[in-house]
Amino acid sequence: MDKMLVTGGLSLRGTVQTSGAKNAALPILFSTLLADGEHVFRNVPDLKDIESTAKLLESLGCETRREGDVFRVKVNKLKSIEAHYDLVRKMRASILCLGPILSKYGEAVVSMPGGCAIGTRPIDLHLEGMKALGAEITLKEGYVHAAAKRLVGGTILFETCTVGGTENVMMAATLASGKTILENAAKEPEIVDLAEYLIKMGAKISGHGTSIITIEGVDQLRPSEHTIMADRIEAGTLLIAGAITKGEVTVEKCRPQHLEALILKMREAGFKIETEKTAMTVFKASAWDAVDITTAPHPLFPTDLQAQFMALMSVANGTSVISETIFENRFMHVNELIRLGADITPKTRVAVVRGKPDGLTAAPVMATDLRASASLVLAGLVAKGETMVNRIYHLDRGYENLEAKLSSLGAKIRRSE
Ligand code: EPZ
């Protein structure tokens, strides 16, 4: 089923629950490589990227099992320390197995992940971090070969704020000897969730969630259990779905405090949004104003919600300037939104969106990456007629049953061949 058919013009109403966070589950699943035994997780979302991660862990000698809401990872002594290209190329985040394997086994061979639709996605900062902990790094035939008798703590200053780099080096540092200080560390909530699990395994970490993270190395970690945090990007996407359809939607099982930048911008656009500790509601607005956004590291506006917010701005009153500062090619959804009638002028890292309330009309469009596909579904919810979103498999990487969730709110949306 490669297409999604979305009928525009229906206002969404009701309550919907967020699933577990893909971008917390991925590093946490890779962190299990740091400790032999059985790790037990809850709220692991059922996504293609989780399947890819499970396959990679199994290729290393681990066992994974999903039983209802419980996801178990049994880590035995690895049968391999090599993460193969055919698995890594399917999911770039596989590079997050480098730190754990290197730190636990003293050697790791991991395929370079390569780029993706939204950018070249380099890993130089990951490798600089491993070198700063004493690792020998060589690149051979598309693979990273990393070796270190035992990693030694050190101070690492990330020249760019990197979520994956912070996660990879933080995991590696847990079993290094001595203290590691990460400066200019990323502050995303997913990093805090990972650190919380590492601490449950016996790691000594402080400062997670701030730009300076300190890790005191220990000799051994042990498996534990954890409930994955709610997916803030899915929660934001569902909130925008309620807003863009002039509906009233409550998103539960989420943490509004993780979405302050989005909520601030939606309120600035004129939406009434009420928040509680684990839920948020957007109320019906018959019209809203265009506002400017600039994506940046947490707690500023998340790049993973830029495409979805652009769909909302394409039917706003006025002109919105959207600046994408994180990835060099994250406007792949622009041409597809234009096919639906949006008036957008894309420049290098800035897109000027001239809002056209009720200005979108259904057309066949093509999903190019995970968040672009969400943006096109959102636009389809308001475009007159039935929008066909092709290559919808991109959506399945990061959204669990999105069409079921939107249908439960009154959307007319279904998959087709
Ligand atoms: C994580 O990717 C997320 N993925 C991305 O979500 C998210 O968009 C991104 O963080 C930014 O928030 C996961 O967590 C699995 P970065 P990551 O390292 O870690 C540059 C989604 O849609 N950089 O923070 O790969 C890089 O090119 C995905 O769920 C280097 O230059 O992102 C980018 O410009 C998409 N060298 C910037 O840093 C490096 O070694 C931020 O990238 C690493 C990164």
Side-chain angles (χ1 to χ4, degrees):
M1 302 276 231
D2 185 32
K3 296 176 177 52
M4 191 81 87
L5 298 175
V6 191
T7 302
L10 301 169
S11 287
L12 302 191
R13 293 190 175 295
T15 299
V16 66
Q17 302 205 327
T18 311
S19 300
K22 166 178 86 83
N23 291 350
L26 296 180
I28 287 173
L29 289 177
F30 284 118
S31 76
T32 61
L33 294 166
L34 289 162
D36 292 352
E38 182 165 84
H39 303 250
V40 181
F41 301 112
R42 285 175 180 74
N43 208 32
V44 175
D46 188 4
L47 303 168
K48 283 272 173 286
D49 275 10
I50 299 295
E51 274 171 43
S52 304
T53 303
K55 279 204 184 80
L56 179 50
L57 290 172
E58 284 156 10
S59 74
L60 298 169
C62 306
E63 295 160 49
T64 68
R65 203 168 65 243
R66 184 187 284 275
E67 292 161 339
D69 187 38
V70 175
F71 192 96
R72 296 172 193 279
V73 181
K74 198 160 169 15
V75 180
N76 321 299
K77 183 139 179 47
L78 293 193
K79 69 181 184 200
S80 160
I81 48 108
E82 186 164 332
H84 287 285
Y85 173 65
D86 56 347
L87 292 168
V88 175
R89 70 183 171 82
K90 291 200 181 87
M91 188 191 64
R92 300 188 58 266
S94 309
I95 192 64
L96 293 173
C97 73
L98 174 65
I101 299 174
L102 173 63
S103 193
K104 178 95 167 29
Y105 298 92
E107 192 189 357
V109 179
V110 179
S111 166
M112 301 273 280
C116 71
I118 64 176
T120 52
R121 312 292 295 277
I123 58 165
D124 56 315
L125 300 176
H126 297 236
L127 304 183
E128 291 307 313
M130 302 303 166
K131 280 184 203 157
L133 297 181
E136 283 290 315
I137 301 279
T138 46
L139 305 182
K140 240 176 2 203
E141 294 157 15
Y143 280 77
V144 175
H145 292 253
K149 244 177 112 33
R150 182 175 184 189
L151 294 176
V152 178
T155 297
I156 291 125
L157 169 62
F158 288 108
E159 63 185 81
T160 308
C161 225
T162 161
V163 171
T166 301
E167 292 168 340
N168 225 341
V169 182
M170 179 169 72
M171 289 190 281
T174 56
L175 292 177
S177 65
K179 180 192 283 194
T180 295
I181 298 176
L182 305 184
E183 296 179 350
N184 193 27
K187 299 181 273 191
E188 273 67 7
E190 292 76 19
I191 289 178
V192 174
D193 211 34
L194 169 63
E196 296 298 336
Y197 185 58
L198 292 168
I199 291 166
K200 284 182 181 176
M201 288 203 275
K204 291 188 172 38
I205 300 173
S206 58
H208 41 297
T210 75
S211 56
I212 301 197
I213 301 177
T214 303
I215 304 109
E216 292 284 353
V218 295
D219 293 334
Q220 194 174 23
L221 295 176
R222 58 192 177 282
S224 183
E225 54 183 75
H226 189 67
T227 298
I228 304 294
M229 63 175 267
D231 192 317
R232 62 192 170 101
I233 304 304
E234 183 195 19
T237 305
L238 294 166
L239 196 74
I240 293 172
I244 202 171
T245 59
K246 303 179 184 172
E248 180 172 319
V249 167
T250 296
V251 182
E252 290 182 332
K253 276 184 76 182
C254 66
R255 300 297 298 274
Q257 77 184 74
H258 292 161
L259 285 166
E260 280 175 2
L262 171 71
I263 292 168
L264 196 71
K265 282 296 175 182
M266 288 180 71
R267 282 175 174 156
E268 204 183 302
F271 290 99
K272 180 174 175 254
I273 296 177
E274 277 180 8
T275 62
E276 299 158 34
K277 192 161 179 312
T278 60
M280 54 189 178
T281 300
V282 59
F283 291 88
K284 176 181 170 56
S286 45
W288 49 92
D289 298 330
V291 293
D292 298 345
I293 61 163
T294 298
T295 66
H298 191 76
L300 299 180
F301 197 96
T303 175
D304 290 350
L305 282 170
Q306 176 259 108
Q308 300 91 315
F309 198 80
M310 188 182 288
L312 184 65
M313 290 296 103
S314 62
V315 287
N317 282 312
T319 298
S320 160
V321 177
I322 295 184
S323 307
E324 172 55 60
T325 72
I326 305 290
F327 292 113
E328 66 268 29
N329 190 32
R330 202 168 201 175
F331 284 154
M332 307 278 275
H333 43 284
V334 168
N335 285 336
E336 301 306 306
L337 290 172
I338 290 170
R339 285 181 51 77
L340 295 173
D343 180 354
I344 306 173
T345 308
K347 305 222 184 297
T348 317
R349 290 233 183 173
V350 172
V352 178
V353 183
R354 289 171 199 79
K356 292 161 62 178
D358 302 327
L360 300 188
T361 308
V365 291
M366 178 107 73
T368 49
D369 56 85
L370 168 56
R371 305 302 172 184
S373 43
S375 167
L376 297 174
V377 169
L378 292 173
L381 290 172
V382 290
K384 294 180 200 65
E386 185 178 70
T387 294
M388 177 192 284
V389 183
N390 293 286
R391 296 190 182 172
I392 202 64
Y393 56 82
H394 288 288
L395 196 75
D396 299 331
R397 295 195 52 174
Y399 288 93
E400 187 181 55
N401 295 331
L402 185 64
E403 69 268 27
K405 288 171 179 165
L406 293 175
S407 302
S408 74
L409 295 170
K412 199 167 166 223
I413 177 171
R414 64 186 175 84
R415 284 185 192 241
S416 94
E417 283 305 327

